Amino acid sequence: MHFTSEQHLDDGVVEREFTLGEIPGTLWTPGSAPAPLILMAHNNGLPRREPRLVARARYTAARGYAVATIDAAGCGDRPRSAADDRARADLRRAMQAGEPVDEIFESFIGPLVEKAVPEWRTTLDALLTLPEVDGPVGYSGWTALGIHLAVTEPRIAAAGFFAGGYVPRAQREEAWQVTVPLLFLLQWDDEGNPRQRALDLFDAFGTKEKTLHANLGGHTGTPWFELEDGGRFYDRHLR
Amino acid sequence: MHFTSEQHLDDGVVEREFTLGEIPGTLWTPGSAPAPLILMAHNNGLPRREPRLVARARYTAARGYAVATIDAAGCGDRPRSAADDRARADLRRAMQAGEPVDEIFESFIGPLVEKAVPEWRTTLDALLTLPEVDGPVGYSGWTALGIHLAVTEPRIAAAGFFAGGYVPRAQREEAWQVTVPLLFLLQWDDEGNPRQRALDLFDAFGTKEKTLHANLGGHTGTPWFELEDGGRFYDRHLR
């Protein structure tokens, strides 16, 4: 793990870019060390530099957590293949034409999740060797990745998922194997995410300790107080 | 309003029984005065002395709110009519036999809500004359009563509803007129409360600022942290 830049933010949080082999990532750490770690990923492999994710990460770090994110293969700062570009173009075309996009998402997001999980685990190994990072480990964000990670990675102790990304068949089918405490966040009127599908997924999670928070509004309209509620969820399970 | 008993609790909360005409009630006030008021009612007109309601009221008062509850006509400490007894017996018999109970609930709870709302408004008038009680006013608990109260009583500024009681047709139909900020609490596996009906009701509320919290488990299994979440909801809207 090589740190390539370091920025000191107002509230004592240190924001560092890193590379780990081919994987580019960002680590936020609070002033106080060592801090429990939260892995934070955007739905559908959106770039780790996206302002909404960065804002969540900085808030969470200021609350006393180490927060890390990486770009998935073909996403963010990483080189795109011709196949990635084709899939994105297909998706855009289908959405503009109002055609069903499930199969395109399935063929694009399914492999993305499968490939991303080993990289997140490698990143987790590296992060836990740092003196400023400690267990237990939480997860926040991208539902599909979080399901596969929670099922395959026993160090994940609590997870907060955002409904609203495409969840591939394989992850819907393994959702019952998620047994860690779970906070599931749903935007009631999310344009791209059928509500019933999200409610079915909440129902399917195997954990006995799961909470659904639903708020009115579209995909990006999550109210600010959910950030605090999420923080308290992690406080209950990671401290 | 006549106070008939007064008890000082450990955390500075004062618990007083009162009568207002025929209406028996309880008022909890915090050490600091004046405090914003929360009207707290149990689903389906359950007795105001029921330990779960009392625990919620004491917690909420210790958090800095004046909390008041009254018994509905025919409930709690109030005389029951022969018709009340008959309705309760019918309900018990139907539930034991596994028969549908909607029509019995409708004929029992419908009039109960209609009769209760003017009593709560009278109580509210009396409470707001007390120096230790202040606006704005919140509501917590019984969904059907809360809907009718929020629709008819403009002093209600925020409401927390517990799904899980029977909501009469009239209240389902006026739910769209509820326009105050709303926290709607659902137990995902509530034996007596069809989940879809609760989700439909959440969808029907007219307010733009509504949040659903759902947790795994049966009717009485609401996790303790929802009490804190509820407290923060009122803090956001009544302070």
Side-chain angles (χ1 to χ4, degrees), chain B residues 51-67:
Chain B
R52 284 182 298 137
L53 185 126
V54 171
R56 278 203 298 136
R58 288 176 174 175
Y59 168 87
T60 308
R63 206 182 163 94
Y65 292 94
V67 181

PDB file of all heavy atoms in Angstrom, chain B residues 51-67:
ATOM      1  N   PRO B  51     -47.591  -0.963  31.124  1.00  0.00           N
ATOM      2  CA  PRO B  51     -46.178  -0.690  31.414  1.00  0.00           C
ATOM      3  C   PRO B  51     -45.348  -0.223  30.213  1.00  0.00           C
ATOM      4  O   PRO B  51     -44.452   0.602  30.374  1.00  0.00           O
ATOM      5  CB  PRO B  51     -45.648  -2.042  31.916  1.00  0.00           C
ATOM      6  CG  PRO B  51     -46.858  -2.759  32.433  1.00  0.00           C
ATOM      7  CD  PRO B  51     -48.012  -2.300  31.605  1.00  0.00           C
ATOM      8  N   ARG B  52     -45.652  -0.731  29.012  1.00  0.00           N
ATOM      9  CA  ARG B  52     -44.833  -0.293  27.870  1.00  0.00           C
ATOM     10  C   ARG B  52     -45.056   1.181  27.564  1.00  0.00           C
ATOM     11  O   ARG B  52     -44.121   1.905  27.234  1.00  0.00           O
ATOM     12  CB  ARG B  52     -45.145  -1.153  26.629  1.00  0.00           C
ATOM     13  CG  ARG B  52     -44.503  -2.541  26.692  1.00  0.00           C
ATOM     14  CD  ARG B  52     -44.775  -3.339  25.437  1.00  0.00           C
ATOM     15  NE  ARG B  52     -46.202  -3.571  25.272  1.00  0.00           N
ATOM     16  CZ  ARG B  52     -46.860  -3.464  24.127  1.00  0.00           C
ATOM     17  NH1 ARG B  52     -46.218  -3.128  23.039  1.00  0.00           N
ATOM     18  NH2 ARG B  52     -48.156  -3.704  24.068  1.00  0.00           N
ATOM     19  N   LEU B  53     -46.316   1.629  27.678  1.00  0.00           N
ATOM     20  CA  LEU B  53     -46.584   3.054  27.447  1.00  0.00           C
ATOM     21  C   LEU B  53     -45.948   3.898  28.552  1.00  0.00           C
ATOM     22  O   LEU B  53     -45.332   4.940  28.279  1.00  0.00           O
ATOM     23  CB  LEU B  53     -48.083   3.328  27.360  1.00  0.00           C
ATOM     24  CG  LEU B  53     -48.389   4.788  26.998  1.00  0.00           C
ATOM     25  CD1 LEU B  53     -49.294   4.889  25.783  1.00  0.00           C
ATOM     26  CD2 LEU B  53     -48.970   5.557  28.171  1.00  0.00           C
ATOM     27  N   VAL B  54     -46.066   3.451  29.783  1.00  0.00           N
ATOM     28  CA  VAL B  54     -45.496   4.203  30.909  1.00  0.00           C
ATOM     29  C   VAL B  54     -43.976   4.330  30.743  1.00  0.00           C
ATOM     30  O   VAL B  54     -43.397   5.403  30.942  1.00  0.00           O
ATOM     31  CB  VAL B  54     -45.863   3.528  32.247  1.00  0.00           C
ATOM     32  CG1 VAL B  54     -45.099   4.161  33.408  1.00  0.00           C
ATOM     33  CG2 VAL B  54     -47.372   3.614  32.478  1.00  0.00           C
ATOM     34  N   ALA B  55     -43.326   3.246  30.323  1.00  0.00           N
ATOM     35  CA  ALA B  55     -41.866   3.282  30.130  1.00  0.00           C
ATOM     36  C   ALA B  55     -41.486   4.290  29.042  1.00  0.00           C
ATOM     37  O   ALA B  55     -40.540   5.061  29.200  1.00  0.00           O
ATOM     38  CB  ALA B  55     -41.352   1.887  29.770  1.00  0.00           C
ATOM     39  N   ARG B  56     -42.245   4.298  27.946  1.00  0.00           N
ATOM     40  CA  ARG B  56     -41.971   5.254  26.873  1.00  0.00           C
ATOM     41  C   ARG B  56     -42.175   6.683  27.345  1.00  0.00           C
ATOM     42  O   ARG B  56     -41.404   7.584  27.007  1.00  0.00           O
ATOM     43  CB  ARG B  56     -42.903   4.995  25.679  1.00  0.00           C
ATOM     44  CG  ARG B  56     -42.451   3.896  24.762  1.00  0.00           C
ATOM     45  CD  ARG B  56     -43.065   4.078  23.373  1.00  0.00           C
ATOM     46  NE  ARG B  56     -44.514   4.010  23.382  1.00  0.00           N
ATOM     47  CZ  ARG B  56     -45.315   4.833  22.727  1.00  0.00           C
ATOM     48  NH1 ARG B  56     -44.793   5.815  22.015  1.00  0.00           N
ATOM     49  NH2 ARG B  56     -46.619   4.682  22.777  1.00  0.00           N
ATOM     50  N   ALA B  57     -43.248   6.870  28.114  1.00  0.00           N
ATOM     51  CA  ALA B  57     -43.558   8.224  28.595  1.00  0.00           C
ATOM     52  C   ALA B  57     -42.462   8.720  29.535  1.00  0.00           C
ATOM     53  O   ALA B  57     -42.017   9.870  29.429  1.00  0.00           O
ATOM     54  CB  ALA B  57     -44.913   8.219  29.295  1.00  0.00           C
ATOM     55  N   ARG B  58     -42.016   7.856  30.438  1.00  0.00           N
ATOM     56  CA  ARG B  58     -40.973   8.276  31.386  1.00  0.00           C
ATOM     57  C   ARG B  58     -39.669   8.590  30.668  1.00  0.00           C
ATOM     58  O   ARG B  58     -38.993   9.568  30.980  1.00  0.00           O
ATOM     59  CB  ARG B  58     -40.752   7.179  32.439  1.00  0.00           C
ATOM     60  CG  ARG B  58     -41.913   7.090  33.418  1.00  0.00           C
ATOM     61  CD  ARG B  58     -41.726   5.937  34.385  1.00  0.00           C
ATOM     62  NE  ARG B  58     -42.769   5.935  35.419  1.00  0.00           N
ATOM     63  CZ  ARG B  58     -42.908   4.984  36.333  1.00  0.00           C
ATOM     64  NH1 ARG B  58     -42.073   3.952  36.361  1.00  0.00           N
ATOM     65  NH2 ARG B  58     -43.883   5.060  37.228  1.00  0.00           N
ATOM     66  N   TYR B  59     -39.308   7.751  29.704  1.00  0.00           N
ATOM     67  CA  TYR B  59     -38.090   8.001  28.927  1.00  0.00           C
ATOM     68  C   TYR B  59     -38.192   9.357  28.221  1.00  0.00           C
ATOM     69  O   TYR B  59     -37.253  10.163  28.231  1.00  0.00           O
ATOM     70  CB  TYR B  59     -37.866   6.891  27.898  1.00  0.00           C
ATOM     71  CG  TYR B  59     -36.794   7.246  26.892  1.00  0.00           C
ATOM     72  CD1 TYR B  59     -35.449   6.983  27.163  1.00  0.00           C
ATOM     73  CD2 TYR B  59     -37.115   7.886  25.696  1.00  0.00           C
ATOM     74  CE1 TYR B  59     -34.465   7.332  26.268  1.00  0.00           C
ATOM     75  CE2 TYR B  59     -36.121   8.248  24.782  1.00  0.00           C
ATOM     76  CZ  TYR B  59     -34.803   7.971  25.074  1.00  0.00           C
ATOM     77  OH  TYR B  59     -33.830   8.337  24.188  1.00  0.00           O
ATOM     78  N   THR B  60     -39.329   9.600  27.606  1.00  0.00           N
ATOM     79  CA  THR B  60     -39.521  10.820  26.808  1.00  0.00           C
ATOM     80  C   THR B  60     -39.514  12.061  27.696  1.00  0.00           C
ATOM     81  O   THR B  60     -38.977  13.108  27.322  1.00  0.00           O
ATOM     82  CB  THR B  60     -40.829  10.704  25.993  1.00  0.00           C
ATOM     83  OG1 THR B  60     -40.811   9.474  25.271  1.00  0.00           O
ATOM     84  CG2 THR B  60     -40.987  11.856  25.015  1.00  0.00           C
ATOM     85  N   ALA B  61     -40.105  11.939  28.898  1.00  0.00           N
ATOM     86  CA  ALA B  61     -40.092  13.065  29.836  1.00  0.00           C
ATOM     87  C   ALA B  61     -38.667  13.336  30.320  1.00  0.00           C
ATOM     88  O   ALA B  61     -38.240  14.496  30.411  1.00  0.00           O
ATOM     89  CB  ALA B  61     -41.023  12.782  31.009  1.00  0.00           C
ATOM     90  N   ALA B  62     -37.918  12.268  30.607  1.00  0.00           N
ATOM     91  CA  ALA B  62     -36.535  12.444  31.064  1.00  0.00           C
ATOM     92  C   ALA B  62     -35.695  13.109  29.979  1.00  0.00           C
ATOM     93  O   ALA B  62     -34.692  13.760  30.260  1.00  0.00           O
ATOM     94  CB  ALA B  62     -35.933  11.092  31.453  1.00  0.00           C
ATOM     95  N   ARG B  63     -36.117  12.980  28.734  1.00  0.00           N
ATOM     96  CA  ARG B  63     -35.443  13.606  27.598  1.00  0.00           C
ATOM     97  C   ARG B  63     -35.796  15.085  27.472  1.00  0.00           C
ATOM     98  O   ARG B  63     -35.260  15.785  26.625  1.00  0.00           O
ATOM     99  CB  ARG B  63     -35.867  12.863  26.335  1.00  0.00           C
ATOM    100  CG  ARG B  63     -34.876  12.923  25.224  1.00  0.00           C
ATOM    101  CD  ARG B  63     -35.355  12.213  23.984  1.00  0.00           C
ATOM    102  NE  ARG B  63     -34.544  12.647  22.869  1.00  0.00           N
ATOM    103  CZ  ARG B  63     -33.461  12.011  22.442  1.00  0.00           C
ATOM    104  NH1 ARG B  63     -33.110  10.866  22.967  1.00  0.00           N
ATOM    105  NH2 ARG B  63     -32.739  12.512  21.454  1.00  0.00           N
ATOM    106  N   GLY B  64     -36.756  15.555  28.296  1.00  0.00           N
ATOM    107  CA  GLY B  64     -37.059  16.984  28.296  1.00  0.00           C
ATOM    108  C   GLY B  64     -38.425  17.362  27.731  1.00  0.00           C
ATOM    109  O   GLY B  64     -38.660  18.511  27.386  1.00  0.00           O
ATOM    110  N   TYR B  65     -39.330  16.397  27.664  1.00  0.00           N
ATOM    111  CA  TYR B  65     -40.672  16.682  27.152  1.00  0.00           C
ATOM    112  C   TYR B  65     -41.721  16.512  28.247  1.00  0.00           C
ATOM    113  O   TYR B  65     -41.566  15.679  29.139  1.00  0.00           O
ATOM    114  CB  TYR B  65     -41.021  15.742  25.983  1.00  0.00           C
ATOM    115  CG  TYR B  65     -40.182  16.013  24.768  1.00  0.00           C
ATOM    116  CD1 TYR B  65     -39.018  15.291  24.537  1.00  0.00           C
ATOM    117  CD2 TYR B  65     -40.535  17.020  23.877  1.00  0.00           C
ATOM    118  CE1 TYR B  65     -38.218  15.563  23.425  1.00  0.00           C
ATOM    119  CE2 TYR B  65     -39.741  17.290  22.771  1.00  0.00           C
ATOM    120  CZ  TYR B  65     -38.592  16.564  22.554  1.00  0.00           C
ATOM    121  OH  TYR B  65     -37.801  16.846  21.464  1.00  0.00           O
ATOM    122  N   ALA B  66     -42.786  17.320  28.161  1.00  0.00           N
ATOM    123  CA  ALA B  66     -43.997  17.021  28.915  1.00  0.00           C
ATOM    124  C   ALA B  66     -44.760  15.972  28.114  1.00  0.00           C
ATOM    125  O   ALA B  66     -44.906  16.116  26.902  1.00  0.00           O
ATOM    126  CB  ALA B  66     -44.833  18.278  29.091  1.00  0.00           C
ATOM    127  N   VAL B  67     -45.200  14.918  28.776  1.00  0.00           N
ATOM    128  CA  VAL B  67     -45.889  13.827  28.087  1.00  0.00           C
ATOM    129  C   VAL B  67     -47.225  13.601  28.772  1.00  0.00           C
ATOM    130  O   VAL B  67     -47.290  13.536  30.003  1.00  0.00           O
ATOM    131  CB  VAL B  67     -45.065  12.519  28.130  1.00  0.00           C
ATOM    132  CG1 VAL B  67     -45.787  11.396  27.393  1.00  0.00           C
ATOM    133  CG2 VAL B  67     -43.679  12.738  27.539  1.00  0.00           C
TER     134      VAL B  67
END
